[in-house]
Amino acid sequence: MNTLQRYIFRRIAVITLASFAAVLGVVWVTQVLSRIDFATGSGQSMFAFLKLIAVLTPQLATLVLPIAIVIGVVQVFSTMNADSELAVMSASGASRGMIARPVLAVAAIASLFVLVSNHYIEPRANRALRDLLVSARTDLLTSLVREGAFTKLDDDLTVYVDRRLPGNALAGIMVSDTRDDDLRLIYYAQSGAVGTVDGKEVMVMTNGQIHRKNLKDGSLSIIRFNSYAMSLSQFASAGIWTDYAPHERDTADLIHPDPNDKTFQTMPGWVRGELHRRLSEWLYPILFAYVALVVAGQTQSHRQTRFNTFFLGLGGALVYRWGAYAIYSANRTNGDLWWLFYALPLGGILLGIVMYHMGISVAVPDRIIRAWEAFNDRIRQMRIRAARARTA
């Protein structure tokens, strides 16, 4: 890269990193607040809470980084346009490709990070998150379940313990599980204990019964047992899946899934969709870079730049991101739609290349800009009159 390209690259890289840190911090706070009950309701230590934040960060980072590229590119080029730097570059013979090259270099670095994170970092972090939540639910059973009281673990999961005994032993156990819309399960046991078997947290109940009611046909069955082990991994969420979900598995497991795996047998589209999502996710930083180039990488009037670059850049990025979520949801039920994972970003990149190199810009119509400015002027005048009335 020449001096001009290094100048653009350095400015975009700095603003992108700053935007990434700021947006990640906002998203991080919202995720922490949504899981604050992990610390207050499960008796976990501060170290466990910090570990929860750490394992949440990789999936948030890959989500936020492409958005940060849009913010960084739009901010830098809007400032350069306002300072007439883009006009000078264009007049001096700088081509669009030369201006776009440092932008694409930043996007390529981000794409490499997303690719590595999707295949190696995120699956391990997601598994660690599941294990941490399971451990928290186990601690909840052993430390916070009160004697002679019904303890609600989830909206549809309630545990009752008559007495707690030394060594994580329990006496007089009742568990009500209504999380499945078609089944109602009630477990009774004279005694039990919480511990680890083969590396998995389980609650072992002895001398009890399972009352199982099928809501579809109204049938009721009672199963007696001398010993019954209930995996506590199911307490980590309200879902029916007790195994690792596809987004928690290594890429090799998605490429060659176990034919006897319950998730693969019931929802093969989910497994296939997760694989193709990982293989295509690295394209989005490049796509979002072209979105930013189209809306801000060309010389514009100051009024157009001030009003619509951020609006159109972030709006276009969110539309593509929503489309990606819709494709992922559709593939959970229909795995034949896997090709859409590649069609959306590649089509967007091709469209961005054509629009940028042909000089086609996207802008809000002038009449809307004039109406917006007139509205702001009226608001400003109302504030001035109100201030004068207070001082009179």
Side-chain angles (χ1 to χ4, degrees), residues 146-170:
R146 294 176 295 171
E147 295 181 354
F150 291 92
T151 302
K152 201 170 187 179
L153 303 184
D154 280 313
D155 292 338
D156 301 314
L157 187 64
T158 303
V159 174
Y160 173 86
V161 174
D162 186 41
R163 285 178 299 137
R164 291 184 57 223
L165 304 174
N168 290 339
L170 308 172

PDB file of all heavy atoms in Angstrom, residues 146-170:
ATOM      1  N   ARG A 146     -34.450 -25.435  49.633  1.00  0.00           N
ATOM      2  CA  ARG A 146     -34.809 -25.359  51.050  1.00  0.00           C
ATOM      3  C   ARG A 146     -35.651 -26.557  51.464  1.00  0.00           C
ATOM      4  O   ARG A 146     -36.478 -27.042  50.674  1.00  0.00           O
ATOM      5  CB  ARG A 146     -35.571 -24.060  51.327  1.00  0.00           C
ATOM      6  CG  ARG A 146     -34.727 -22.805  51.149  1.00  0.00           C
ATOM      7  CD  ARG A 146     -35.565 -21.569  51.344  1.00  0.00           C
ATOM      8  NE  ARG A 146     -36.586 -21.466  50.310  1.00  0.00           N
ATOM      9  CZ  ARG A 146     -37.569 -20.574  50.320  1.00  0.00           C
ATOM     10  NH1 ARG A 146     -37.672 -19.727  51.339  1.00  0.00           N
ATOM     11  NH2 ARG A 146     -38.451 -20.533  49.343  1.00  0.00           N
ATOM     12  N   GLU A 147     -35.472 -26.987  52.666  1.00  0.00           N
ATOM     13  CA  GLU A 147     -36.250 -28.112  53.179  1.00  0.00           C
ATOM     14  C   GLU A 147     -37.722 -27.708  53.326  1.00  0.00           C
ATOM     15  O   GLU A 147     -38.042 -26.617  53.800  1.00  0.00           O
ATOM     16  CB  GLU A 147     -35.704 -28.557  54.535  1.00  0.00           C
ATOM     17  CG  GLU A 147     -34.298 -29.109  54.489  1.00  0.00           C
ATOM     18  CD  GLU A 147     -33.821 -29.560  55.857  1.00  0.00           C
ATOM     19  OE1 GLU A 147     -34.551 -29.327  56.844  1.00  0.00           O
ATOM     20  OE2 GLU A 147     -32.731 -30.153  55.957  1.00  0.00           O
ATOM     21  N   GLY A 148     -38.594 -28.621  52.885  1.00  0.00           N
ATOM     22  CA  GLY A 148     -40.019 -28.402  53.053  1.00  0.00           C
ATOM     23  C   GLY A 148     -40.581 -27.268  52.229  1.00  0.00           C
ATOM     24  O   GLY A 148     -41.645 -26.728  52.558  1.00  0.00           O
ATOM     25  N   ALA A 149     -39.921 -26.872  51.156  1.00  0.00           N
ATOM     26  CA  ALA A 149     -40.397 -25.773  50.310  1.00  0.00           C
ATOM     27  C   ALA A 149     -40.225 -26.156  48.846  1.00  0.00           C
ATOM     28  O   ALA A 149     -39.305 -26.900  48.480  1.00  0.00           O
ATOM     29  CB  ALA A 149     -39.645 -24.487  50.620  1.00  0.00           C
ATOM     30  N   PHE A 150     -41.099 -25.637  47.999  1.00  0.00           N
ATOM     31  CA  PHE A 150     -41.020 -25.862  46.558  1.00  0.00           C
ATOM     32  C   PHE A 150     -40.081 -24.823  45.946  1.00  0.00           C
ATOM     33  O   PHE A 150     -40.284 -23.617  46.107  1.00  0.00           O
ATOM     34  CB  PHE A 150     -42.405 -25.764  45.914  1.00  0.00           C
ATOM     35  CG  PHE A 150     -43.324 -26.887  46.289  1.00  0.00           C
ATOM     36  CD1 PHE A 150     -44.171 -26.779  47.375  1.00  0.00           C
ATOM     37  CD2 PHE A 150     -43.339 -28.067  45.550  1.00  0.00           C
ATOM     38  CE1 PHE A 150     -45.013 -27.810  47.727  1.00  0.00           C
ATOM     39  CE2 PHE A 150     -44.185 -29.110  45.892  1.00  0.00           C
ATOM     40  CZ  PHE A 150     -45.027 -28.984  46.983  1.00  0.00           C
ATOM     41  N   THR A 151     -39.056 -25.315  45.251  1.00  0.00           N
ATOM     42  CA  THR A 151     -38.069 -24.451  44.622  1.00  0.00           C
ATOM     43  C   THR A 151     -38.251 -24.504  43.113  1.00  0.00           C
ATOM     44  O   THR A 151     -38.187 -25.581  42.505  1.00  0.00           O
ATOM     45  CB  THR A 151     -36.638 -24.889  44.979  1.00  0.00           C
ATOM     46  OG1 THR A 151     -36.487 -24.857  46.397  1.00  0.00           O
ATOM     47  CG2 THR A 151     -35.622 -23.957  44.344  1.00  0.00           C
ATOM     48  N   LYS A 152     -38.454 -23.333  42.491  1.00  0.00           N
ATOM     49  CA  LYS A 152     -38.693 -23.256  41.053  1.00  0.00           C
ATOM     50  C   LYS A 152     -37.362 -23.019  40.347  1.00  0.00           C
ATOM     51  O   LYS A 152     -36.744 -21.959  40.499  1.00  0.00           O
ATOM     52  CB  LYS A 152     -39.667 -22.123  40.756  1.00  0.00           C
ATOM     53  CG  LYS A 152     -40.376 -22.241  39.425  1.00  0.00           C
ATOM     54  CD  LYS A 152     -41.494 -21.209  39.321  1.00  0.00           C
ATOM     55  CE  LYS A 152     -42.305 -21.454  38.060  1.00  0.00           C
ATOM     56  NZ  LYS A 152     -43.412 -20.478  37.956  1.00  0.00           N
ATOM     57  N   LEU A 153     -36.918 -24.007  39.563  1.00  0.00           N
ATOM     58  CA  LEU A 153     -35.663 -23.876  38.832  1.00  0.00           C
ATOM     59  C   LEU A 153     -35.855 -23.197  37.495  1.00  0.00           C
ATOM     60  O   LEU A 153     -35.029 -22.409  37.058  1.00  0.00           O
ATOM     61  CB  LEU A 153     -35.019 -25.251  38.634  1.00  0.00           C
ATOM     62  CG  LEU A 153     -34.739 -26.047  39.914  1.00  0.00           C
ATOM     63  CD1 LEU A 153     -34.027 -27.334  39.571  1.00  0.00           C
ATOM     64  CD2 LEU A 153     -33.923 -25.223  40.891  1.00  0.00           C
ATOM     65  N   ASP A 154     -36.944 -23.533  36.814  1.00  0.00           N
ATOM     66  CA  ASP A 154     -37.337 -22.919  35.559  1.00  0.00           C
ATOM     67  C   ASP A 154     -38.828 -22.640  35.644  1.00  0.00           C
ATOM     68  O   ASP A 154     -39.482 -22.970  36.627  1.00  0.00           O
ATOM     69  CB  ASP A 154     -37.032 -23.831  34.357  1.00  0.00           C
ATOM     70  CG  ASP A 154     -35.559 -23.765  33.958  1.00  0.00           C
ATOM     71  OD1 ASP A 154     -35.031 -22.645  33.855  1.00  0.00           O
ATOM     72  OD2 ASP A 154     -34.957 -24.828  33.753  1.00  0.00           O
ATOM     73  N   ASP A 155     -39.353 -22.036  34.572  1.00  0.00           N
ATOM     74  CA  ASP A 155     -40.783 -21.738  34.565  1.00  0.00           C
ATOM     75  C   ASP A 155     -41.621 -22.999  34.729  1.00  0.00           C
ATOM     76  O   ASP A 155     -42.692 -22.966  35.335  1.00  0.00           O
ATOM     77  CB  ASP A 155     -41.154 -21.036  33.254  1.00  0.00           C
ATOM     78  CG  ASP A 155     -40.559 -19.640  33.170  1.00  0.00           C
ATOM     79  OD1 ASP A 155     -40.240 -19.090  34.241  1.00  0.00           O
ATOM     80  OD2 ASP A 155     -40.398 -19.130  32.055  1.00  0.00           O
ATOM     81  N   ASP A 156     -41.139 -24.113  34.215  1.00  0.00           N
ATOM     82  CA  ASP A 156     -41.917 -25.352  34.240  1.00  0.00           C
ATOM     83  C   ASP A 156     -41.166 -26.480  34.941  1.00  0.00           C
ATOM     84  O   ASP A 156     -41.376 -27.652  34.630  1.00  0.00           O
ATOM     85  CB  ASP A 156     -42.290 -25.779  32.809  1.00  0.00           C
ATOM     86  CG  ASP A 156     -43.093 -24.724  32.085  1.00  0.00           C
ATOM     87  OD1 ASP A 156     -44.036 -24.194  32.699  1.00  0.00           O
ATOM     88  OD2 ASP A 156     -42.774 -24.419  30.928  1.00  0.00           O
ATOM     89  N   LEU A 157     -40.282 -26.134  35.870  1.00  0.00           N
ATOM     90  CA  LEU A 157     -39.504 -27.156  36.556  1.00  0.00           C
ATOM     91  C   LEU A 157     -39.437 -26.798  38.044  1.00  0.00           C
ATOM     92  O   LEU A 157     -38.914 -25.751  38.408  1.00  0.00           O
ATOM     93  CB  LEU A 157     -38.095 -27.252  35.976  1.00  0.00           C
ATOM     94  CG  LEU A 157     -37.224 -28.393  36.479  1.00  0.00           C
ATOM     95  CD1 LEU A 157     -37.808 -29.732  36.091  1.00  0.00           C
ATOM     96  CD2 LEU A 157     -35.799 -28.259  35.930  1.00  0.00           C
ATOM     97  N   THR A 158     -39.989 -27.663  38.873  1.00  0.00           N
ATOM     98  CA  THR A 158     -40.075 -27.404  40.311  1.00  0.00           C
ATOM     99  C   THR A 158     -39.540 -28.605  41.078  1.00  0.00           C
ATOM    100  O   THR A 158     -39.809 -29.755  40.706  1.00  0.00           O
ATOM    101  CB  THR A 158     -41.526 -27.124  40.732  1.00  0.00           C
ATOM    102  OG1 THR A 158     -42.030 -26.030  39.967  1.00  0.00           O
ATOM    103  CG2 THR A 158     -41.612 -26.774  42.214  1.00  0.00           C
ATOM    104  N   VAL A 159     -38.775 -28.336  42.143  1.00  0.00           N
ATOM    105  CA  VAL A 159     -38.190 -29.391  42.973  1.00  0.00           C
ATOM    106  C   VAL A 159     -38.641 -29.177  44.417  1.00  0.00           C
ATOM    107  O   VAL A 159     -38.670 -28.044  44.921  1.00  0.00           O
ATOM    108  CB  VAL A 159     -36.651 -29.377  42.902  1.00  0.00           C
ATOM    109  CG1 VAL A 159     -36.055 -30.382  43.877  1.00  0.00           C
ATOM    110  CG2 VAL A 159     -36.187 -29.682  41.487  1.00  0.00           C
ATOM    111  N   TYR A 160     -39.006 -30.272  45.068  1.00  0.00           N
ATOM    112  CA  TYR A 160     -39.353 -30.245  46.492  1.00  0.00           C
ATOM    113  C   TYR A 160     -38.483 -31.281  47.207  1.00  0.00           C
ATOM    114  O   TYR A 160     -38.338 -32.411  46.742  1.00  0.00           O
ATOM    115  CB  TYR A 160     -40.829 -30.582  46.704  1.00  0.00           C
ATOM    116  CG  TYR A 160     -41.210 -30.736  48.162  1.00  0.00           C
ATOM    117  CD1 TYR A 160     -41.565 -29.640  48.940  1.00  0.00           C
ATOM    118  CD2 TYR A 160     -41.196 -32.000  48.769  1.00  0.00           C
ATOM    119  CE1 TYR A 160     -41.911 -29.779  50.272  1.00  0.00           C
ATOM    120  CE2 TYR A 160     -41.532 -32.153  50.105  1.00  0.00           C
ATOM    121  CZ  TYR A 160     -41.886 -31.037  50.849  1.00  0.00           C
ATOM    122  OH  TYR A 160     -42.229 -31.193  52.174  1.00  0.00           O
ATOM    123  N   VAL A 161     -37.896 -30.872  48.328  1.00  0.00           N
ATOM    124  CA  VAL A 161     -37.080 -31.763  49.146  1.00  0.00           C
ATOM    125  C   VAL A 161     -37.581 -31.679  50.574  1.00  0.00           C
ATOM    126  O   VAL A 161     -37.687 -30.585  51.148  1.00  0.00           O
ATOM    127  CB  VAL A 161     -35.581 -31.389  49.075  1.00  0.00           C
ATOM    128  CG1 VAL A 161     -34.782 -32.225  50.052  1.00  0.00           C
ATOM    129  CG2 VAL A 161     -35.056 -31.575  47.660  1.00  0.00           C
ATOM    130  N   ASP A 162     -37.885 -32.846  51.149  1.00  0.00           N
ATOM    131  CA  ASP A 162     -38.381 -32.865  52.528  1.00  0.00           C
ATOM    132  C   ASP A 162     -37.259 -32.561  53.513  1.00  0.00           C
ATOM    133  O   ASP A 162     -37.414 -31.741  54.419  1.00  0.00           O
ATOM    134  CB  ASP A 162     -38.992 -34.239  52.826  1.00  0.00           C
ATOM    135  CG  ASP A 162     -39.663 -34.265  54.189  1.00  0.00           C
ATOM    136  OD1 ASP A 162     -40.336 -33.274  54.547  1.00  0.00           O
ATOM    137  OD2 ASP A 162     -39.493 -35.263  54.905  1.00  0.00           O
ATOM    138  N   ARG A 163     -36.082 -33.204  53.298  1.00  0.00           N
ATOM    139  CA  ARG A 163     -34.958 -32.977  54.195  1.00  0.00           C
ATOM    140  C   ARG A 163     -33.652 -33.043  53.427  1.00  0.00           C
ATOM    141  O   ARG A 163     -33.528 -33.823  52.481  1.00  0.00           O
ATOM    142  CB  ARG A 163     -34.926 -34.024  55.317  1.00  0.00           C
ATOM    143  CG  ARG A 163     -35.971 -33.823  56.414  1.00  0.00           C
ATOM    144  CD  ARG A 163     -35.879 -34.936  57.455  1.00  0.00           C
ATOM    145  NE  ARG A 163     -36.119 -36.254  56.860  1.00  0.00           N
ATOM    146  CZ  ARG A 163     -35.415 -37.346  57.131  1.00  0.00           C
ATOM    147  NH1 ARG A 163     -34.393 -37.277  57.967  1.00  0.00           N
ATOM    148  NH2 ARG A 163     -35.728 -38.509  56.583  1.00  0.00           N
ATOM    149  N   ARG A 164     -32.700 -32.200  53.849  1.00  0.00           N
ATOM    150  CA  ARG A 164     -31.350 -32.259  53.308  1.00  0.00           C
ATOM    151  C   ARG A 164     -30.442 -32.895  54.348  1.00  0.00           C
ATOM    152  O   ARG A 164     -30.453 -32.514  55.516  1.00  0.00           O
ATOM    153  CB  ARG A 164     -30.840 -30.858  52.965  1.00  0.00           C
ATOM    154  CG  ARG A 164     -31.553 -30.224  51.782  1.00  0.00           C
ATOM    155  CD  ARG A 164     -30.955 -28.872  51.426  1.00  0.00           C
ATOM    156  NE  ARG A 164     -29.530 -29.016  51.146  1.00  0.00           N
ATOM    157  CZ  ARG A 164     -28.614 -28.158  51.586  1.00  0.00           C
ATOM    158  NH1 ARG A 164     -28.965 -27.177  52.385  1.00  0.00           N
ATOM    159  NH2 ARG A 164     -27.351 -28.333  51.284  1.00  0.00           N
ATOM    160  N   LEU A 165     -29.647 -33.866  53.893  1.00  0.00           N
ATOM    161  CA  LEU A 165     -28.788 -34.631  54.783  1.00  0.00           C
ATOM    162  C   LEU A 165     -27.326 -34.345  54.457  1.00  0.00           C
ATOM    163  O   LEU A 165     -27.002 -33.815  53.381  1.00  0.00           O
ATOM    164  CB  LEU A 165     -29.085 -36.129  54.651  1.00  0.00           C
ATOM    165  CG  LEU A 165     -30.555 -36.536  54.902  1.00  0.00           C
ATOM    166  CD1 LEU A 165     -30.750 -38.003  54.610  1.00  0.00           C
ATOM    167  CD2 LEU A 165     -30.976 -36.183  56.314  1.00  0.00           C
ATOM    168  N   PRO A 166     -26.406 -34.678  55.329  1.00  0.00           N
ATOM    169  CA  PRO A 166     -24.984 -34.447  55.054  1.00  0.00           C
ATOM    170  C   PRO A 166     -24.517 -35.181  53.797  1.00  0.00           C
ATOM    171  O   PRO A 166     -25.072 -36.223  53.405  1.00  0.00           O
ATOM    172  CB  PRO A 166     -24.289 -34.999  56.301  1.00  0.00           C
ATOM    173  CG  PRO A 166     -25.332 -34.944  57.380  1.00  0.00           C
ATOM    174  CD  PRO A 166     -26.632 -35.211  56.689  1.00  0.00           C
ATOM    175  N   GLY A 167     -23.481 -34.628  53.142  1.00  0.00           N
ATOM    176  CA  GLY A 167     -22.904 -35.272  51.970  1.00  0.00           C
ATOM    177  C   GLY A 167     -23.749 -35.141  50.721  1.00  0.00           C
ATOM    178  O   GLY A 167     -23.778 -36.058  49.882  1.00  0.00           O
ATOM    179  N   ASN A 168     -24.481 -34.018  50.540  1.00  0.00           N
ATOM    180  CA  ASN A 168     -25.335 -33.776  49.377  1.00  0.00           C
ATOM    181  C   ASN A 168     -26.461 -34.790  49.255  1.00  0.00           C
ATOM    182  O   ASN A 168     -26.990 -35.004  48.156  1.00  0.00           O
ATOM    183  CB  ASN A 168     -24.512 -33.784  48.079  1.00  0.00           C
ATOM    184  CG  ASN A 168     -23.593 -32.581  47.971  1.00  0.00           C
ATOM    185  OD1 ASN A 168     -23.820 -31.564  48.628  1.00  0.00           O
ATOM    186  ND2 ASN A 168     -22.554 -32.707  47.164  1.00  0.00           N
ATOM    187  N   ALA A 169     -26.808 -35.438  50.348  1.00  0.00           N
ATOM    188  CA  ALA A 169     -27.910 -36.403  50.342  1.00  0.00           C
ATOM    189  C   ALA A 169     -29.234 -35.670  50.560  1.00  0.00           C
ATOM    190  O   ALA A 169     -29.311 -34.653  51.261  1.00  0.00           O
ATOM    191  CB  ALA A 169     -27.697 -37.459  51.412  1.00  0.00           C
ATOM    192  N   LEU A 170     -30.288 -36.221  49.958  1.00  0.00           N
ATOM    193  CA  LEU A 170     -31.623 -35.638  50.029  1.00  0.00           C
ATOM    194  C   LEU A 170     -32.610 -36.720  50.429  1.00  0.00           C
ATOM    195  O   LEU A 170     -32.454 -37.887  50.062  1.00  0.00           O
ATOM    196  CB  LEU A 170     -32.028 -35.032  48.680  1.00  0.00           C
ATOM    197  CG  LEU A 170     -31.042 -34.042  48.035  1.00  0.00           C
ATOM    198  CD1 LEU A 170     -31.495 -33.689  46.634  1.00  0.00           C
ATOM    199  CD2 LEU A 170     -30.905 -32.790  48.884  1.00  0.00           C
TER     200      LEU A 170
END
